[in-house]
Amino acid sequence: MPPLLRTLGIDVGITGLRLVGLGLDSGGRPFLQSYSSVEMAAVTGAEPYPVLLEAMTKLAAQSGSKGREVRLCLGGSSVFSRILKVPTADRERMQAMIGFEAKETVPAADQALWDYQFLPETQNAETEALLLAIKKESVEEAQAAASQAGFRVVDVTLAPAALINAARFAYPENSGPTLLLEIGARATQVVILEGDKVFCRVVPIGGMAVTQAIATDLQESFAGAELLKIAK
């Protein structure tokens, strides 16, 4: 009997969507069971929703996953990340301290959605937490487009947290320095792991900067430079 599909996830990018289906093997380990992708023109105008909705609709039809539960992963330059250190105390008190720090640290906090994840505990007097935030509008548009396309959104996560959790799950024995790069169209997620230490930043440079450099040097159109970049 084939393994049942356990989880569907959609990586929401600026120039494309990628849907993955993760199943469990006989040993309870996850594996990639299905993959679908849809490319879309980079959203540069003030109305990204119609482009995103069209891509979501194509993805649902192409993958045959309409009506299924999905988890969305959002990244890009709109993601804010910060490692916070708070005095080690009971969980409720640390949560209150992180909430205060978030209001003081997250840009335009009243227009953002934020959450946090405690990092592996140590014996130190301080506990580290990964604070992540994104514009509320970005989350609402992604959820609305996925829902209207026929998916049932059950969770939203941000790329830095997904990278960290995937690396720690896949390589639990690796305690040496590890660099993770997720290079998108407009931004690059940079994560450095070493033991229990974590460094996380979103750098506003991605593949489109490379395409533009090729276009400038070769006096090509942006579309032509993109084709050259992919081919060569």
Side-chain angles (χ1 to χ4, degrees):
M1 178 178 179
L4 296 176
L5 191 65
R6 302 289 184 177
T7 300
L8 287 178
I10 300 178
D11 176 36
V12 182
I14 295 295
T15 59
L17 305 175
R18 286 154 291 278
L19 183 146
V20 297
L22 297 179
L24 296 178
D25 63 18
S26 58
R29 296 178 295 271
F31 70 98
L32 183 63
Q33 191 175 32
S34 62
Y35 175 84
S36 300
S37 66
V38 170
E39 300 302 315
M40 59 186 184
V43 179
T44 57
E47 296 294 335
Y49 181 77
V51 177
L52 184 58
L53 174 58
E54 181 182 2
M56 283 284 187
T57 302
K58 288 181 180 179
L59 187 65
Q62 176 180 303
S63 64
S65 301
K66 190 173 182 179
R68 298 294 301 273
E69 292 185 350
V70 298
R71 290 168 166 78
L72 303 182
C73 180
L74 307 181
S77 57
S78 61
V79 174
F80 171 86
S81 65
R82 186 65 52 85
I83 301 296
L84 299 180
K85 293 185 178 181
V86 296
T88 301
D90 62 82
R91 187 58 61 98
E92 186 175 340
R93 185 178 177 186
M94 289 193 293
Q95 288 173 338
M97 288 187 284
I98 292 172
F100 174 80
E101 290 289 341
K103 292 178 182 178
E104 296 294 316
T105 306
V106 174
D110 58 328
Q111 301 174 27
L113 295 175
W114 61 269
D115 205 346
Y116 65 91
Q117 175 178 311
F118 285 116
L119 298 176
E121 297 182 7
T122 65
Q123 300 302 315
N124 299 329
E126 291 183 317
T127 296
E128 290 188 335
L130 172 64
L131 173 67
L132 293 171
I134 190 171
K135 292 179 182 178
K136 187 184 300 183
E137 182 181 8
S138 298
V139 177
E140 291 174 345
E141 285 183 343
Q143 287 181 306
S147 297
Q148 191 164 341
F151 294 111
R152 290 185 290 141
V153 180
V154 296
D155 186 47
V156 177
T157 190
L158 300 184
L163 281 174
I164 292 170
N165 293 336
R168 290 199 179 282
F169 179 86
Y171 307 102
E173 73 288 346
N174 188 6
S175 60
T178 302
L179 171 65
L180 305 176
L181 293 176
E182 194 271 320
I183 303 174
R186 293 180 180 170
T188 298
Q189 318 285 335
V190 180
V191 174
I192 300 176
L193 304 175
E194 184 175 8
D196 292 332
K197 298 179 181 178
V198 175
F199 172 86
C200 181
R201 283 291 184 274
V202 180
V203 181
I205 298 176
M208 292 178 70
V210 177
T211 303
Q212 186 58 59
I214 294 171
T216 301
D217 287 351
L218 300 183
Q219 297 184 343
E220 271 278 1
S221 66
F222 188 88
E226 181 71 11
L227 291 174
L228 283 172
K229 182 183 75 174
I230 294 172
K232 301 296 183 180

